[in-house]
Each structure stands twice: as structure tokens, then as C-alpha cells.
Amino acid sequence: MPTSDDIRLDTLAVHGGERRPGPEGSMVFPIYQGTVFSVEPGTGYHDIRYIRLNSTPSQVYLHDKLAALESAEAALATASGMAALTTVLHTVLKAGDHLLASDCLYGGTHDFLTQHAENLGWTYTFVDPQRPESWAAARTPSTKVFLVETIANPLVRVAKLRDVVAFARQEGLTTVVDNTFASPVNFRPLSIGFDIVFESATKYLNGHNDLVAGVVAGSAELIERVRHTANLYGGSLDPHAGFLLARGLKTLAVRVRAQNHNAMALAEFLAGHPKIAEVNYPGLAGHPDHGHAAQLLSGFGGMLSLRPAGGLDAAEALIEALRIPYVAPSLGGVESLITRPAATSHAGMSAEDRERIGVTDELIRISTGIEDVADLIADFEQALQKV
Ligand code: PLP
């Protein structure tokens, strides 16, 4: 089995974690759907081979594959991206602890903190991940964790991740990063010193919009602690979904590169269109984070957002006239998706709060798929004529 030290990512996606020879000589690792396996008498609770304990053969195989892709000592699959986040936080925080969290988090993460942290005895302060000079003032003697996202929804802002690691090291904090939008193809946070990376594997990792899963990766010691938390909270991934995820992972590198390419070409086309007032994509030289994004990332990702010049009516007309993208709020799959965050992912926020973070009513978010980019551009061209 090749390891991440000497093999490039495209090869790891196909061969990382694979058993050679596989059971019965199988090239495809089978689905061991059994709930429980026979073990030696006296085996400890967390080492019994039982699906909830994340220790059955299909699960261990998937963990090895994920660890190879994340360049991590160890990884754990979870039942969703939210299960990954909550399991990590329950592992690294205890009652009385405080965390610094990015002020532009995925809606579910934001709601988890604002609606549940208090019940758990955690306090938090939202900080601007672009302004390192503001972080020291937010730190308290109880701060234990710094939580950020690589690329944040929906303005595709790229956090100052090297500064996060440097600050956290100086202050003795554990760093946790949600790398969902980048995927390990565009960025591997552990390589610049993050302690824990997690992703919603529902998105790019699986890439086919047909399962919900999460991944956590880091040092063997941290992941063992995370696994023990997961075993008790119970958000484990079923082996059947794990099989689909492992299959999706094999094409991760080619899919994400195609999405990077398509998003860049679409962003450039839209940025030059008279009916588009603004395009947000970190690959464009005019994006506020283009400079440090270009240094950090191997690719700028498949996500972009835009504001049509004609406001909300134009946004609705554009979405209506497009033929290729599905109107749906998720991301990262092979099909292009389009959504208006004010009506979907950010609908729970007040209009003033949305305005403050730039999620105006006419903002449109696009998750670029792997279609031929000439067809995507032609589709936007015909749709914009109707706006
Ligand atoms: N993190 C980010 C950045 C997301 O976009 C999402 C889902 O959209 C999640 C986490 C949660 O993932 P899941 O839906 O798999 O629980």
C-alpha cells in the first residue's frame, strides 16, 4: 500500500489505503455489513469490532484511505459533516472552556455554537479570520481552540490560515479547520501545522450527491480520542455508505481539478459580462484574498458567487433561465448546482445580519460540476440574455 510520503495525490486517491491483495484477491474492498465480529475474550470496549465503535474491516479500510489523502497519521469517518464537527469539539473542549471561531462559518456550525455551546458550558468569541491583529484581544485564559474554515461560504473568502497556526502555537491552542470547500486536492491543512482537519465528505470527497458523511483527520493520538468520543455519541458511518465514499474518493483528484478549471473559466466569463455586477472567486486577481489564496492553495476550488446588476428580479430570472445547473443548496458533486443563499443556507438569519455579512438577496452561489465548461458558459450566456 503506497503511503503519502512518497506518492502523489492522484495516485493516493486510487491506491491509498487499498489492501493488496484484498480479501479473496478482490481489487475492490468488499462491504463487511456485519454489525459485530468475533474477538478474543477480554478485548477492551473500544476495540470490540462493532459498527458503532468504528472498528469493523470496511471502516478501518476507509479510515486508512482517508488518512492517506489527508496526509494524516489517522482518520475517522463519521455519519455526516456535522457529526465530524460536533465529535471533534466534544473531544477537545470541556465545560468552562472558550473557543475562538471564525465569524463566517457554515450555517450548521454557526447554529450549533449559538444554540448549544451555552448548554455545554462552552463560551466562544467570533473573530475575523482575515484580521490576525484582532485575535489576541478575543483570547481569554480559558481559550482552548481556534476553529476556522479554509474557504468560507458564500463569498468564498480564504482565511489567513498560516497566521491562525502561528497564533495558536504561540497561545497553546488546538487548531481545528473545516476544509470542506477546498478538499485535500486543493489544500491539506495538516501540512501547514493544523492539529485537526474535518470535512463534510458529503461534498467533494464523495462527489456524487448520493450520501452524507464526514471525515476527521490528525495525529494518531488525537484521532483515537476523537474515535472514543464518536463511539459514545454514536454518529458512526454505516459500511454501505463507507463503500460509496471510498469509491467516490478514487476519482477525487480528477473531479476537483475539473471543477477548479470550470469555476475559473466561468468566473472569468461572468466577471466580463455587462449584466453581472460582481463575481466572487479567489482565483480572480480582484478577489480580496487572491494573494494569500494563491500561496496556500493548489487550486481555487469549484465554488463561486455573483451578484447580477439587476438585483433580486435579475437573480431569480437568471436561475429560472439556466438549463444545466440544478437549483439546490449543496455542493461539490459532479452536477453543477445553483442557489440563492438568502433563500436557503442563510434564510434563518435576519435580513440585517445577512446584509452585514454581504449575503444580499440577489447573491447567487454556484457549485461548479464537471460538465464541459463550454456548455456551462453557453448556458449562462443564453440565460443572461433573458435577464
Ligand atoms: N461544513 C461545510 C462547509 C458545509 O458546507 C457543510 C454542509 O453543507 C457541513 C460542514 C455539514 O456537512 P453535512 O451536511 O455533511 O453534515
Side-chain angles (χ1 to χ4, degrees):
M1 175 182 69
T3 67
S4 24
D5 297 338
D6 49 8
I7 303 283
R8 293 172 186 80
L9 192 88
D10 292 68
T11 313
L12 280 175
V14 180
H15 294 291
E18 297 299 327
R19 278 35 174 165
R20 293 174 76 159
E24 303 289 341
S26 175
M27 266 172 58
V28 175
F29 197 82
I31 308 172
Y32 285 94
Q33 192 62 53
T35 310
V36 69
F37 289 69
S38 52
V39 284
E40 292 298 313
T43 303
Y45 176 73
H46 291 285
D47 298 319
I48 291 168
R49 293 201 294 170
Y50 182 68
I51 291 175
R52 179 172 49 75
L53 302 180
N54 296 293
S55 50
T56 63
S58 292
Q59 291 171 307
V60 174
Y61 152 72
L62 177 63
H63 297 158
D64 290 349
K65 192 160 191 71
L66 289 165
L69 278 168
E70 302 282 359
S71 295
E73 282 177 13
L76 179 84
T78 55
S80 66
M82 285 307 293
L85 163 83
T86 55
T87 306
V88 167
L89 292 186
H90 276 102
T91 305
V92 294
L93 290 168
K94 57 181 185 348
D97 287 346
H98 171 261
L99 74 151
L100 299 176
S102 166
D103 63 4
C104 49
L105 291 168
Y106 164 65
T109 308
H110 177 273
D111 291 354
F112 175 68
L113 288 178
T114 53
Q115 294 169 25
H116 287 269
E118 193 182 345
N119 300 341
L120 297 161
W122 309 339
T123 52
Y124 56 87
T125 305
F126 288 126
V127 293
D128 183 342
Q130 318 298 335
R131 293 183 54 236
E133 67 280 9
S134 66
W135 301 340
R139 192 214 194 291
T140 76
S142 341
T143 309
K144 295 285 160 28
V145 167
F146 200 150
L147 169 68
V148 279
E149 293 181 2
T150 308
I151 305 177
N153 188 31
L155 299 181
V156 274
R157 295 297 308 262
V158 180
K160 295 236 168 114
L161 297 168
R162 285 191 195 279
D163 295 283
V164 170
V165 170
F167 176 81
R169 284 222 172 120
Q170 183 186 308
E171 304 287 332
L173 313 180
T174 301
T175 41
V176 179
V177 58
D178 180 340
N179 195 46
T180 300
F181 271 41
S183 91
V185 179
N186 289 332
F187 185 56
R188 279 182 280 180
L190 302 178
S191 70
I192 68 157
F194 271 92
D195 296 306
I196 300 181
V197 54
F198 75 93
E199 276 141 18
S200 166
T202 314
K203 319 296 177 184
Y204 289 100
L205 294 183
N206 179 57
H208 291 76
N209 285 321
D210 55 8
L211 64 80
V212 171
V215 55
V216 186
S219 69
E221 186 266 331
L222 264 171
I223 296 305
E224 192 53 15
R225 282 173 53 204
V226 173
R227 185 173 79 87
H228 281 213
T229 310
N231 292 352
L232 299 174
Y233 279 87
S236 310
L237 188 68
D238 178 80
H240 198 274
F243 171 81
L244 289 177
L245 175 55
R247 186 168 68 161
L249 288 174
K250 290 182 187 174
T251 54
L252 176 70
V254 283
R255 282 189 283 106
V256 170
R257 273 200 208 101
Q259 286 163 309
N260 290 342
H261 170 79
N262 286 0
M264 186 76 205
L266 190 59
E268 281 172 342
F269 164 76
L270 292 167
H273 198 286
K275 290 189 179 168
I276 300 294
E278 180 186 301
V279 178
N280 303 299
Y281 184 64
L284 294 179
H287 187 279
D289 304 325
H290 178 68
H292 64 269
Q295 285 177 359
L296 275 170
L297 309 177
S298 322
F300 296 107
M303 302 299 298
L304 62 138
S305 60
L306 61 91
R307 294 181 216 276
L312 177 58
D313 288 347
E316 286 178 334
L318 174 61
I319 291 174
E320 176 81 33
L322 283 164
R323 294 173 186 145
I324 294 178
Y326 285 87
V327 183
S330 194
L331 63 122
V334 292
E335 305 90 355
S336 290
L337 305 182
I338 193 160
T339 181
R340 209 161 52 72
T344 53
S345 54
H346 292 67
M349 285 173 101
S350 69
E352 299 80 63
D353 282 350
R354 281 203 300 268
E355 193 80 25
R356 187 176 44 74
I357 62 164
V359 182
T360 50
D361 282 348
E362 81 279 21
L363 186 80
I364 289 175
R365 188 187 81 173
I366 302 162
S367 168
T368 319
I370 63 164
E371 301 92 345
D372 190 313
V373 74
D375 291 331
L376 285 177
I377 289 173
D379 193 23
F380 274 86
E381 203 156 26
Q382 68 77 25
L384 281 163
Q385 279 169 14
K386 299 185 178 133
V387 168

Coordinates of all heavy atoms in Angstrom, one line a residue, residues 306-342:
L306 N -22.0 35.3 -7.2 CA -22.1 36.5 -8.1 C -23.3 37.3 -7.7 O -24.3 36.8 -7.0 CB -22.2 36.1 -9.6 CG -23.4 35.2 -10.0 CD1 -24.6 36.0 -10.4 CD2 -23.0 34.3 -11.1
R307 N -23.3 38.6 -8.1 CA -24.5 39.5 -7.9 C -24.8 40.0 -9.3 O -24.0 40.7 -9.9 CB -24.1 40.7 -7.0 CG -23.9 40.3 -5.6 CD -23.6 41.6 -4.8 NE -22.5 41.3 -3.8 CZ -22.7 40.7 -2.6 NH1 -24.0 40.4 -2.2 NH2 -21.7 40.5 -1.8
P308 N -26.0 39.7 -9.8 CA -26.4 40.3 -11.1 C -26.7 41.8 -10.9 O -27.1 42.2 -9.9 CB -27.7 39.6 -11.5 CG -27.9 38.5 -10.4 CD -27.1 38.9 -9.3
A309 N -26.4 42.6 -12.0 CA -26.6 44.0 -11.9 C -28.0 44.4 -11.7 O -28.3 45.4 -11.0 CB -26.1 44.6 -13.2
G310 N -29.0 43.6 -12.1 CA -30.4 43.9 -12.0 C -31.0 43.5 -10.7 O -32.3 43.5 -10.6
G311 N -30.3 43.2 -9.6 CA -30.9 42.9 -8.3 C -31.6 41.6 -8.2 O -31.4 40.7 -9.1
L312 N -32.5 41.5 -7.3 CA -33.2 40.2 -7.0 C -34.0 39.7 -8.2 O -34.0 38.5 -8.5 CB -34.1 40.4 -5.8 CG -35.0 39.2 -5.4 CD1 -34.1 38.0 -5.1 CD2 -35.9 39.5 -4.2
D313 N -34.7 40.6 -8.9 CA -35.5 40.1 -10.0 C -34.6 39.5 -11.1 O -34.9 38.4 -11.6 CB -36.3 41.3 -10.7 CG -37.4 41.8 -9.8 OD1 -37.7 41.0 -8.9 OD2 -37.9 42.9 -10.1
A314 N -33.4 40.1 -11.3 CA -32.5 39.5 -12.3 C -32.0 38.2 -11.8 O -31.8 37.2 -12.6 CB -31.4 40.5 -12.5
A315 N -31.7 38.1 -10.5 CA -31.2 36.8 -9.9 C -32.2 35.7 -10.1 O -31.8 34.6 -10.6 CB -30.9 37.0 -8.5
E316 N -33.5 36.0 -9.8 CA -34.5 35.0 -10.0 C -34.7 34.6 -11.5 O -34.8 33.4 -11.8 CB -35.8 35.4 -9.4 CG -35.7 35.4 -7.8 CD -36.9 35.9 -7.1 OE1 -37.7 36.7 -7.7 OE2 -37.2 35.4 -6.0
A317 N -34.6 35.6 -12.3 CA -34.8 35.3 -13.8 C -33.6 34.5 -14.3 O -33.8 33.6 -15.1 CB -34.9 36.6 -14.6
L318 N -32.4 34.8 -13.8 CA -31.2 34.1 -14.3 C -31.3 32.6 -13.8 O -31.1 31.7 -14.7 CB -29.9 34.7 -13.7 CG -28.6 34.0 -13.9 CD1 -28.3 33.9 -15.4 CD2 -27.5 34.7 -13.2
I319 N -31.7 32.4 -12.6 CA -31.8 31.0 -12.1 C -32.8 30.2 -12.9 O -32.6 29.1 -13.3 CB -32.1 31.0 -10.6 CG1 -30.8 31.5 -9.8 CG2 -32.4 29.6 -10.1 CD1 -31.0 31.7 -8.3
E320 N -33.9 30.9 -13.1 CA -35.0 30.3 -13.9 C -34.6 29.9 -15.3 O -35.0 28.9 -15.8 CB -36.2 31.3 -13.9 CG -37.4 31.0 -14.7 CD -38.3 30.1 -13.9 OE1 -38.4 30.2 -12.6 OE2 -39.0 29.2 -14.5
A321 N -33.8 30.7 -15.9 CA -33.5 30.5 -17.3 C -32.3 29.5 -17.6 O -32.1 29.1 -18.7 CB -33.1 31.9 -18.0
L322 N -31.6 29.2 -16.5 CA -30.5 28.3 -16.7 C -31.0 26.9 -16.9 O -32.0 26.4 -16.3 CB -29.5 28.3 -15.5 CG -28.6 29.5 -15.4 CD1 -28.0 29.7 -14.0 CD2 -27.5 29.4 -16.5
R323 N -30.3 26.1 -17.8 CA -30.8 24.8 -18.2 C -30.0 23.7 -17.5 O -30.4 22.6 -17.3 CB -30.8 24.6 -19.7 CG -31.8 25.5 -20.4 CD -31.6 25.3 -21.9 NE -32.5 26.3 -22.6 CZ -32.2 26.9 -23.7 NH1 -31.0 26.7 -24.3 NH2 -33.0 27.8 -24.2
I324 N -28.7 24.0 -17.3 CA -27.8 22.9 -16.8 C -27.7 22.7 -15.3 O -28.0 21.6 -14.8 CB -26.3 23.0 -17.4 CG1 -26.4 22.8 -18.9 CG2 -25.4 22.0 -16.8 CD1 -25.0 23.0 -19.6
P325 N -27.5 23.8 -14.6 CA -27.4 23.6 -13.1 C -28.7 23.2 -12.5 O -29.7 23.8 -12.8 CB -26.9 25.0 -12.6 CG -26.5 25.7 -13.8 CD -27.2 25.2 -14.9
Y326 N -28.7 22.3 -11.5 CA -29.8 22.1 -10.7 C -29.9 23.2 -9.6 O -28.9 23.7 -9.2 CB -29.7 20.8 -9.9 CG -29.9 19.5 -10.7 CD1 -28.8 19.0 -11.3 CD2 -31.1 18.9 -10.7 CE1 -28.9 17.8 -12.1 CE2 -31.2 17.7 -11.5 CZ -30.2 17.2 -12.1 OH -30.3 16.0 -12.8
V327 N -31.2 23.6 -9.3 CA -31.4 24.6 -8.2 C -31.4 23.8 -6.9 O -32.4 23.1 -6.6 CB -32.7 25.4 -8.5 CG1 -32.8 26.4 -7.4 CG2 -32.7 26.0 -9.8
A328 N -30.3 23.8 -6.2 CA -30.2 23.0 -5.0 C -29.1 23.6 -4.1 O -28.1 24.1 -4.7 CB -29.9 21.6 -5.3
P329 N -29.2 23.5 -2.8 CA -28.2 24.2 -1.9 C -26.9 23.4 -1.6 O -26.1 24.0 -0.9 CB -29.0 24.4 -0.7 CG -30.1 23.4 -0.6 CD -30.3 23.0 -2.1
S330 N -26.7 22.2 -2.0 CA -25.5 21.5 -1.6 C -24.3 21.9 -2.5 O -24.4 22.9 -3.3 CB -25.7 20.0 -1.5 OG -24.7 19.4 -0.8
L331 N -23.3 21.1 -2.5 CA -22.1 21.5 -3.3 C -21.2 20.3 -3.5 O -21.3 19.3 -2.8 CB -21.3 22.6 -2.6 CG -20.7 22.4 -1.3 CD1 -19.2 22.6 -1.3 CD2 -21.4 23.3 -0.2
G332 N -20.3 20.4 -4.4 CA -19.1 19.5 -4.5 C -19.4 18.3 -5.4 O -18.5 17.5 -5.6
G333 N -20.6 18.1 -5.9 CA -20.9 16.9 -6.7 C -20.5 17.2 -8.2 O -20.2 18.3 -8.6
V334 N -20.7 16.1 -9.0 CA -20.3 16.2 -10.4 C -21.3 17.1 -11.2 O -21.0 17.7 -12.2 CB -20.3 14.8 -11.1 CG1 -19.1 14.1 -10.6 CG2 -21.6 14.1 -10.9
E335 N -22.5 17.3 -10.6 CA -23.5 18.2 -11.3 C -23.4 19.6 -10.8 O -23.2 19.8 -9.6 CB -25.0 17.7 -11.0 CG -25.3 16.3 -11.3 CD -25.0 15.3 -10.2 OE1 -24.5 15.8 -9.1 OE2 -25.4 14.2 -10.3
S336 N -23.4 20.6 -11.7 CA -23.4 22.0 -11.2 C -24.7 22.3 -10.5 O -25.8 21.8 -10.9 CB -23.3 22.9 -12.4 OG -22.0 22.8 -12.9
L337 N -24.6 23.0 -9.4 CA -25.8 23.4 -8.6 C -25.8 24.9 -8.4 O -24.7 25.5 -8.4 CB -25.7 22.8 -7.2 CG -25.6 21.2 -7.1 CD1 -25.6 20.8 -5.6 CD2 -26.7 20.5 -7.8
I338 N -27.0 25.5 -8.3 CA -27.1 26.9 -8.1 C -28.1 27.2 -7.0 O -29.1 26.5 -6.9 CB -27.4 27.6 -9.5 CG1 -27.3 29.1 -9.4 CG2 -28.8 27.2 -10.0 CD1 -27.1 29.8 -10.8
T339 N -27.8 28.2 -6.2 CA -28.7 28.5 -5.1 C -28.6 30.0 -4.8 O -27.6 30.6 -5.1 CB -28.4 27.6 -3.9 OG1 -29.3 27.9 -2.9 CG2 -27.0 27.9 -3.4
R340 N -29.7 30.5 -4.2 CA -29.6 31.9 -3.7 C -29.5 31.8 -2.1 O -30.5 31.5 -1.5 CB -30.9 32.6 -4.1 CG -30.7 34.1 -4.3 CD -31.8 34.7 -5.1 NE -33.2 34.3 -4.7 CZ -33.8 34.8 -3.6 NH1 -33.1 35.7 -2.8 NH2 -35.0 34.4 -3.2
P341 N -28.3 32.0 -1.6 CA -28.1 31.7 -0.1 C -29.1 32.5 0.8 O -29.5 31.9 1.8 CB -26.7 32.2 0.1 CG -26.0 32.1 -1.2 CD -27.1 32.4 -2.2
A342 N -29.6 33.7 0.4 CA -30.5 34.4 1.3 C -31.8 33.6 1.4 O -32.5 33.7 2.5 CB -30.8 35.8 0.7

